[in-house]
Amino acid sequence: MASITLGGNPIHTSGELPKVGSKLADFKLIQNDLSVASLSDFAGKKLILNIFPSIDTGTCAASVRKFNETAGNLENTTVLCISRDLPFAQKRFCGAEGLENVVNLSDFQEGTFGKVNGLEIVDGPLAGLHSRVLIVADANGTITHAEQVPEIADEPNYEAALAAL
């Protein structure tokens, strides 16, 4: 169990992040059209997993905007923005913002993605949502960077994630 903070108050996650050098765990997440996406759908691509509590918060929205801005310039790389938000909310946000360079995926149905990767918040007012995490994997699915942001209201280290590509 990892300890992070929300407004300086301690909260906890369901476990520890996957380690650098390990393989990404397979997943089943829901796309904006309600179809299921899995890791195999992105085979051969480098991945940035931008994981956060809700697209309807300022910091989460800022991370999606930031990765949308940089993703268009990344060769053979896909940015996956993952939250427990409904796919409709993710689609509405990106449509309103004109964001087309990221792929939104929702863990709303089972919530297993957060549990498997040790990043689900287990207590406090955001219990059940994902903590703020960046995971980067190479084209073979090997994790090259993993960051759990210590204070959930803070933005992640974008530069470190991009450097890990």
Side-chain angles (χ1 to χ4, degrees), residues 55 61-62 64-65 68 90-100:
I55 202 154
V64 174
R65 287 184 196 108
N68 182 75
Q90 295 172 334
K91 185 176 181 178
R92 172 195 40 79
F93 174 82
C94 286
E97 297 273 334
L99 308 180
E100 299 176 347

Side-chain angles (χ1 to χ4, degrees), residues 31-34 85-93 106 108:
Q31 300 184 85
N32 286 347
D33 65 2
L34 301 181
D85 290 301
L86 292 175
F88 313 115
Q90 295 172 334
K91 185 176 181 178
R92 172 195 40 79
F93 174 82
S106 175
F108 85 97

Side-chain angles (χ1 to χ4, degrees), residues 4 6 11-14 17 27-29 50-55 57 60 81-85 90 105-122 126-133 148-149 152:
I4 57 176
L6 172 64
I11 56 176
H12 303 91
T13 64
S14 58
L17 294 184
F27 55 78
K28 289 191 181 343
L29 296 167
N50 177 32
I51 307 158
F52 48 85
S54 175
I55 202 154
T57 65
C60 301
C81 293
I82 303 169
S83 69
R84 298 284 314 263
D85 290 301
Q90 295 172 334
L105 297 173
S106 175
D107 191 23
F108 85 97
Q109 284 188 327
E110 298 177 18
T112 56
F113 177 85
K115 291 178 180 81
V116 166
N117 289 291
L119 55 89
E120 180 179 292
I121 299 168
V122 297
L126 299 181
L129 298 179
H130 295 155
S131 56
R132 186 172 320 286
V133 171
Q148 184 160 55
V149 179
I152 204 154

Side-chain angles (χ1 to χ4, degrees), residues 42-59:
F42 305 99
K45 297 272 190 184
K46 294 182 272 184
L47 297 174
I48 298 174
L49 282 66
N50 177 32
I51 307 158
F52 48 85
S54 175
I55 202 154
D56 286 321
T57 65
T59 306

